[in-house]
């Protein structure tokens, strides 16, 4: 297993689905209170999932899977279906994918489609490893298009984003 994600959609009571990425096995989801993991791989043609990001504040979950040969896959229906989002991604050996500007404790609201009004769910980073096109790619439109950023050495294995509170 490459990763595990257990979101908390509220700071007090509700805990959402648990997700696991399995290299050569794809994506799996477990419902709250269940002891069974269910494969969620429809459309996920490359099951060599190396990393993933699931937005905790949108229901059904929007998520991205980083694969080692198929690039980045996106789900907008809680993992039921996956599609590739590789336009501009110069390398399809993806190590990690990460949202930028998303709080892990975002509380969904109908008015904001499940996110806080000031949060962005469209900005992502993806790290890749395959020669001259390796590096960190940026998407500002939910993975539809990617641009290689500059100043980073090839072979970035993981990406972390720190949320900063500008007011204190």
């Amino acid at each position: 297993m490459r990763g595990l994600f257990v979101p908390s959609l509220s700071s007090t009571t509700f805990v959402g689905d648990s997700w696991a990425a399995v290299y050569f096995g794809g994506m799996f989801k477990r419902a709250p209170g269940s002891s069974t993991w269910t494969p969620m791989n429809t459309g996920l043609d490359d099951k060599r999932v190396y990393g993933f990001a699931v937005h905790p504040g949108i229901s059904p979950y929007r998520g991205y899977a980083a694969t080692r040969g198929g690039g980045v896959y996106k789900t907008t229906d809680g993992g039921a279906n996956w599609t590739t989002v590789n336009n501009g991604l110069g390398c399809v050996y993806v190590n990690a994918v990460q949202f930028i500007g998303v709080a892990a404790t975002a509380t969904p609201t109908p008015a904001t489609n499940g996110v806080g009004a000031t949060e962005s769910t469209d900005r992502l980073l993806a790290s890749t490893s395959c020669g001259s096109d390796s590096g960190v790619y940026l998407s500002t439109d939910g993975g539809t298009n990617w641009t290689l950023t500059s100043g980073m050495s090839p072979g970035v294995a993981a990406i972390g984003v720190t949320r900063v509170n500008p007011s204190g």
Side-chain angles (χ1 to χ4, degrees):
M1 183 180 342
R2 291 291 308 166
L4 183 66
F5 177 76
V6 183
S8 173
L9 296 183
S10 166
S11 59
T12 55
T13 57
F14 181 79
V15 175
D17 298 324
S18 301
W19 289 79
V22 179
Y23 197 65
F24 286 108
M27 294 297 298
F28 289 78
K29 184 166 74 171
R30 183 187 66 82
S34 174
S35 61
T36 302
W37 289 90
T38 303
M40 304 298 286
N41 294 322
T42 300
L44 189 63
D45 298 327
D46 187 342
K47 292 179 184 60
R48 295 175 294 171
V49 179
Y50 212 68
F52 67 98
V54 177
H55 190 288
I58 295 178
S59 182
Y61 294 114
R62 181 185 322 171
Y64 297 83
T67 68
R68 300 292 291 160
V72 177
Y73 287 80
K74 177 180 182 177
T75 182
T76 58
D77 59 8
N81 297 284
W82 296 86
T83 57
T84 55
V85 286
N86 293 331
N87 188 44
L89 200 61
C91 173
V92 293
Y93 289 88
V94 183
N95 299 320
V97 62
Q98 176 69 50
F99 285 102
I100 302 172
V102 174
T105 58
T107 302
T109 64
T112 60
N113 191 28
V115 295
T118 60
E119 294 179 283
S120 171
T121 59
D122 294 329
R123 295 176 21 199
L124 299 156
L125 293 174
S127 64
T128 65
S129 297
C130 53
S132 63
D133 290 326
S134 296
V136 177
Y137 285 79
L138 169 69
S139 174
T140 59
D141 57 10
T144 301
N145 297 289
W146 296 93
T147 304
L148 181 61
T149 62
S150 61
M152 183 57 65
S153 298
V156 175
I159 302 171
V161 177
T162 302
R163 184 178 179 136
V164 177
N165 182 353
S167 63

